[in-house]
Amino acid sequence: MTPATLERSKRWLAQGDLRPTRQRLALAALLVGDGENRHVTAEGLHGAVLATGDRVSLATVYNTLKAFCDAGLMQEVTVDGSRSYFDTRMDDHPHFHFEDSGRLTDAPAGELEIVALPSIPEGYEIAKLDVVIRLRKKA
Amino acid sequence: MTPATLERSKRWLAQGDLRPTRQRLALAALLVGDGENRHVTAEGLHGAVLATGDRVSLATVYNTLKAFCDAGLMQEVTVDGSRSYFDTRMDDHPHFHFEDSGRLTDAPAGELEIVALPSIPEGYEIAKLDVVIRLRKKA
DNA sequence: CTATGTGCAAATCTTTTGCAGGCTA
DNA sequence: TAGCCTGCAAAAGATTTGCACATAG
């Protein structure tokens, strides 16, 4: 891990008032180490961290991802009933979900334009607007 | 079950080339018996069918809902990572998801207007466009 | 030093599957 | 009758939890 990556990871954890433990730094480095947004599953991230040589248990990956979400550093995205995806980008934005590979990416921002929303039931407000564009390989 | 409900349920199963067994009729009656669209979870539907006095195992509810989807009679809607919802309405349409109760409903049709979609990656086409408006109780 | 984190294994929850017997066409 | 269906229990997969030990501030 480069010093820049370490620095960025520490700052990121500090934003969420989370202590920079070895495991959290290892995960943070993979998530925000290069400043890019990431979309990961717990299992995928676990595999990635093991590949770097660090040892982190899968349960800790789950707990840590949840801690990152609670701290407002990431958000969970629901795209597939069987798996949870975690996104380092925090604003509401549309996603592409590739049915063949299961990969999740941001859809180019600003290109989705919603003009009118259905009127919200009395007493409620919008917590989140999820848009998932499911893609299948063209025949 | 009224004769009209029975008739409608039988026709519905016939549309999907599914045999009208006792269990399927019991579930179909709850799903389309009154001509309204329904949004159910497997567990919720199981509870409902038990309440009518019919006995259907939970595994059969799962298998039957999946059979209904495969037959093109319903679609599965992904709104919450932990549970699957099944919708008797077959076209793409936005949903309201009530965070307090977990209930899922259709958002008033036609009131959502999407003007521009992000451009789709080369070689792919849209399989499905999911829009879920998550609602929280107003403070 | 004290409160937070972590690891592991076991528990939980939802959904799927194998197989023997039942029922529709 | 033949093949599709069902029930049950057990399996499977993802995620959470309990508890003893480790560690950041």
Side-chain angles (χ1 to χ4, degrees):
Chain A
M1 177 180 335
T2 71
T5 293
L6 180 62
E7 249 327 290
R8 198 178 343 243
S9 301
K10 279 188 176 175
R11 270 201 305 275
W12 190 65
L13 291 176
Q15 279 174 42
D17 280 312
L18 294 172
R19 293 183 183 175
T21 66
R22 178 180 66 75
Q23 295 84 343
R24 286 174 179 176
L25 281 171
L27 297 177
L30 293 171
L31 291 170
V32 299
D34 62 359
E36 296 291 311
N37 287 313
R38 285 284 146 62
H39 301 81
V40 301
T41 60
E43 192 144 15
L45 184 59
H46 184 234
V49 78
L50 292 187
T52 69
D54 287 310
R55 285 162 294 95
V56 182
S57 77
L58 179 57
T60 295
V61 172
Y62 273 107
N63 293 335
T64 302
L65 282 173
K66 193 189 221 188
F68 288 173
C69 287
D70 288 347
L73 298 174
M74 305 184 77
Q75 60 176 328
E76 195 170 349
V77 183
T78 299
V79 282
D80 178 302
S82 61
R83 242 199 286 249
S84 290
Y85 286 78
F86 297 85
D87 185 352
T88 53
R89 187 170 148 185
M90 285 300 291
D91 60 314
D92 269 3
H93 59 283
H95 287 106
F96 284 139
H97 181 246
F98 295 82
E99 296 195 332
D100 53 350
S101 61
R103 226 162 67 81
L104 184 73
T105 69
D106 290 334
E111 290 185 31
L112 176 81
E113 246 183 274
I114 294 180
V115 170
L117 273 181
S119 47
I120 305 307
E122 193 56 46
Y124 285 89
E125 60 187 350
I126 296 183
K128 196 159 172 295
L129 177 61
D130 283 356
V131 177
V132 178
I133 302 165
R134 294 171 198 287
L135 300 176
R136 100 165 63 90
K137 247 197 196 94
K138 212 181 266 178
Chain B
M1 179 183 329
T2 70
T5 293
L6 180 61
E7 249 327 291
R8 203 182 336 246
S9 301
K10 279 187 175 174
R11 271 201 304 275
W12 191 64
L13 291 177
Q15 279 173 43
D17 280 312
L18 294 172
R19 292 182 183 174
T21 66
R22 177 179 68 75
Q23 294 86 342
R24 285 174 179 175
L25 281 171
L27 297 177
L30 293 172
L31 292 169
V32 299
D34 62 359
E36 297 291 311
N37 287 313
R38 285 283 146 63
H39 302 80
V40 301
T41 60
E43 192 143 15
L45 185 59
H46 185 234
V49 79
L50 291 186
T52 69
D54 287 309
R55 284 163 295 94
V56 182
S57 78
L58 180 58
T60 295
V61 173
Y62 273 107
N63 293 336
T64 302
L65 282 173
K66 192 188 222 190
F68 288 173
C69 287
D70 288 347
L73 297 174
M74 305 183 75
Q75 61 175 328
E76 194 170 348
V77 183
T78 299
V79 284
D80 178 303
S82 61
R83 244 199 282 249
S84 290
Y85 286 78
F86 296 85
D87 186 351
T88 53
R89 187 169 147 185
M90 286 298 292
D91 60 314
D92 268 5
H93 59 282
H95 286 107
F96 283 139
H97 182 247
F98 295 81
E99 296 195 331
D100 52 349
S101 61
R103 226 161 67 82
L104 185 72
T105 68
D106 290 333
E111 292 186 30
L112 175 80
E113 246 183 275
I114 295 182
V115 169
L117 273 182
S119 47
I120 306 307
E122 192 56 46
Y124 285 89
E125 60 187 351
I126 296 183
K128 196 158 172 297
L129 177 61
D130 283 354
V131 177
V132 178
I133 302 166
R134 293 171 200 286
L135 299 177
R136 99 164 62 89
K137 245 195 197 97
K138 211 179 266 179

